[in-house]
Amino acid sequence: MLYAARHRLSIGESKQSMVELDSVIKTYTLGQQRIVAVNDVSLTIQPGEFVAIMGKSGCGKTTLLGLIGGLDRPDSGTISVNGEEISQLTDADLTRYRRDQVGIIFQFFNLIPILTVAENVALPYSLQGKSEREIQARVQELLSDVDLVERQTHYPHEISGGEMQRVAIARALINKPQLVLADEPTGNLDSRTGHQVMETMARLSEQHRTTVVLATHSSEAASYATRKLHMRDGSLSSAEEST
Ligand SMILES: Nc1ncnc2c1ncn2[C@@H]1O[C@H](COP(=O)(O)OP(=O)(O)OP(=O)(O)O)[C@@H](O)[C@H]1O
Ligand SMILES: [Mg+2]
């Protein structure tokens, strides 16, 4: 709750919104069936906001995050992130956008099993061609942030689920993204571990004034957000309107 209050105070400071969606539509066609996964969504998110998108399975949360994260393109409508219209980027620029400006955290962690904890965290930074010294310094800083310094030489199968998710958070933050997208980050964790992971995300988001968009079924996870939106059959409404 404290996080929410502090975040709200900081929202008015900035003029440039972080994420802006205007009439975004995304459909999938499977055989004869046409599925409108995201149905005419317009949404503005300010820098530093922590927004939860809630809604039942199949309502379009992952599709929406994928569009904002540049993993997919909309059929129509525009998506701007930090003033840049990502729906207009070339494939190469979109890849750069994903690598440099967005951190993505998935439900199933997506760690690389043959790399250690430290190597998993370092990976996106290594791809930017940083020196070994820079990489090490940044990795140690992040491992300390997520309280995993002592597990850094372990492999993913040698740590717990909550620890894996904290590795994924550190990895998502290594390039200092302004925007973090988290898709059910607590979906595979027990409720206590889920709270720890959400605490870590909320603390880091507050420290670095990172904008977070979280997709979740869990009202407990969503309670860490400064704003809750509800998604139903591809459409968004504020959580208050939907209840
Ligand atoms: N690649 C695809 N091809 C066809 N249909 C798809 C594809 N991906 C998703 N869908 C459909 O689009 C709709 C939205 O899916 P999406 O994965 O965004 O939902 P979700 O809200 O993330 O669900 P969950 O909570 O189960 O993760 C669903 O009806 C789904 O079946
Ligand atoms: Mg999903």
Side-chain angles (χ1 to χ4, degrees), residues 28 30 35 37 56-63 217:
Y28 294 112
L30 269 187
I35 298 159
K56 64 180 190 189
S57 181
C59 72
K61 303 181 295 297
T62 297
T63 307
H217 298 111

Side-chain angles (χ1 to χ4, degrees), residues 7 89 109 123 126 129 140 168 176 203 238:
H7 269 288
L89 294 179
F109 323 132
L123 191 62
S126 320
Q140 293 310 315
K176 302 192 176 160
R203 176 171 51 81
S238 72

Side-chain angles (χ1 to χ4, degrees), residues 26-30 33 35-38 53-65 72 107 183-184 215-217 231 234:
K26 176 72 189 175
T27 55
Y28 294 112
T29 308
L30 269 187
Q33 207 185 3
I35 298 159
V36 186
V38 171
I53 297 176
M54 304 183 66
K56 64 180 190 189
S57 181
C59 72
K61 303 181 295 297
T62 297
T63 307
L64 187 65
L65 288 191
D72 212 344
Q107 177 176 0
D183 195 359
E184 292 285 0
T216 186
H217 298 111
M231 196 162 190

Side-chain angles (χ1 to χ4, degrees), residues 86-131:
I86 63 160
S87 27
Q88 297 291 320
L89 294 179
T90 62
D91 284 350
D93 286 340
L94 202 58
T95 303
R96 229 165 282 136
Y97 159 77
R98 279 199 303 267
R99 190 192 63 197
D100 301 340
Q101 294 194 49
V102 200
I104 304 184
I105 301 166
F106 300 94
Q107 177 176 0
F108 296 102
F109 323 132
N110 288 15
L111 301 182
I112 298 182
I114 58 164
L115 299 182
T116 64
V117 163
E119 288 164 348
N120 265 283
V121 173
L123 191 62
Y125 214 46
S126 320
L127 297 175
Q128 287 204 335
K130 303 280 182 187
S131 75

Side-chain angles (χ1 to χ4, degrees), residues 181-195:
L181 306 173
D183 195 359
E184 292 285 0
T186 60
N188 279 297
L189 306 175
D190 64 72
S191 119
R192 197 171 139 264
T193 313
H195 273 296

